[in-house]
Amino acid sequence: QKEVEQNSGPLSVPEGAIASLNCTYSDRGSQSFFWYRQYSGKSPELIMFIYSNGDKEDGRFTAQLNKASQYVSLLIRDSQPSDSATYLCAVRGEYGNKLVFGAGTILRVKS
Amino acid sequence: DGGITQSPKYLFRKEGQNVTLSCEQNLNHDAMYWYRQDPGQGLRLIYYSQIVNDFQKGDIAEGYSVSREKKESFPLTVTSAQKNPTAFYLCASSLTNEKLFFGSGTQLSVL
């Protein structure tokens, strides 16, 4: 079992819709969770982070964490073509010394 | 401007040659990391360092070496023992156990 798992996609949504990206992790002691956006040929850019159970909202982005289910998600409201990218989920484990990444989900927003 | 600088942007390696990728940060971050990304895949950790003069192997350290003589610098050497070095290499830094910020990456190819 991979430490951090994501559906590779591509996930296709129409412009203006809500995109829902999901991630599961295996280390029950994980402490912090991150979502990065990566455009083709570029480096990852941090867009959201969450440490506690529940929801965290920042503009059009909402991160949701459920530690009991070992599940973290990212919702993008009013999706725009510029949101088309690969979204990487990353989890910092119980001892906090390294960040483990999922393989990423490709998101395509169609205008 | 504060940030992480990787150089060169593109690098070519001949068979049997060692090459060194540079990573410098002026964010005063304690921790630095090297990740490798293959096409369509997530990031895999090569080495990380949480303090000067100390570093730990990540998941795929074989064929690579690092040094951390200064807080600002964390160079990665790809040795001739790394038989499949073609990949996108990403350097990152963070405050201890906090979110990662990435450099712009180095694309390494084999001649």
Side-chain angles (χ1 to χ4, degrees):
Chain A
Q1 181 189 7
K2 292 182 180 178
E3 292 183 67
V4 179
E5 295 208 49
Q6 296 180 255
N7 187 321
S8 62
L11 173 66
S12 293
V13 300
E15 184 175 356
I18 296 175
S20 178
L21 303 162
N22 304 315
C23 172
T24 58
Y25 59 94
S26 60
D27 182 355
R28 186 168 289 277
S30 296
Q31 298 296 321
S32 47
F33 308 85
F34 306 86
W35 283 99
Y36 287 83
R37 177 177 62 199
Q38 186 177 26
Y39 294 112
S40 181
K42 302 295 184 183
S43 60
E45 172 193 11
L46 180 69
I47 54 172
M48 287 290 289
F49 60 93
I50 186 167
Y51 299 146
S52 304
N53 270 337
D55 295 359
K56 179 181 179 182
E57 186 174 320
D58 184 1
R60 296 187 296 113
F61 300 99
T62 299
Q64 299 175 317
L65 175 61
N66 184 326
K67 287 189 176 181
S69 300
Q70 295 175 237
Y71 177 94
V72 57
S73 64
L74 178 69
L75 301 178
I76 306 175
R77 289 181 299 281
D78 189 22
S79 296
Q80 301 297 310
S82 59
D83 294 326
S84 298
T86 298
Y87 289 80
L88 300 168
C89 173
V91 177
R92 192 180 286 281
E94 181 175 4
Y95 300 103
N97 54 357
K98 60 180 183 178
L99 206 59
V100 179
F101 285 80
T105 298
I106 298 170
L107 173 66
R108 293 180 181 157
V109 181
K110 299 179 179 179
S111 58
Chain B
D1 286 338
I4 303 170
T5 302
Q6 287 188 244
S7 63
K9 187 170 183 177
Y10 299 98
L11 185 58
F12 297 90
R13 193 192 88 166
K14 295 179 181 178
E15 190 173 342
Q17 184 183 38
N18 293 352
V19 293
T20 298
L21 285 61
S22 171
C23 180
E24 304 277 334
Q25 55 97 1
N26 60 5
L27 300 169
N28 201 31
H29 286 170
D30 295 307
M32 297 187 74
Y33 309 78
W34 275 105
Y35 287 89
R36 166 179 172 146
Q37 187 174 34
D38 293 279
Q41 298 190 32
L43 280 64
R44 292 185 290 167
L45 183 64
I46 304 172
Y47 269 99
Y48 64 102
S49 168
Q50 294 184 291
I51 194 170
V52 174
N53 292 323
D54 188 42
F55 48 83
Q56 287 77 41
K57 293 182 179 180
D59 300 317
I60 55 164
E62 185 174 351
Y64 300 97
S65 66
V66 293
S67 63
R68 186 86 186 276
E69 298 177 0
K70 299 187 299 181
K71 186 176 185 177
E72 301 79 18
S73 179
F74 191 42
L76 173 74
T77 297
V78 183
T79 74
S80 57
Q82 172 50 248
K83 299 305 180 186
N84 185 23
T86 296
F88 188 46
Y89 290 85
L90 287 157
C91 178
S93 71
S94 73
L95 294 171
T96 302
N97 298 343
E98 288 292 325
K99 44 192 173 291
L100 265 61
F101 295 93
F102 286 88
S104 57
T106 293
Q107 177 63 51
L108 175 62
S109 303
V110 176
L111 288 176

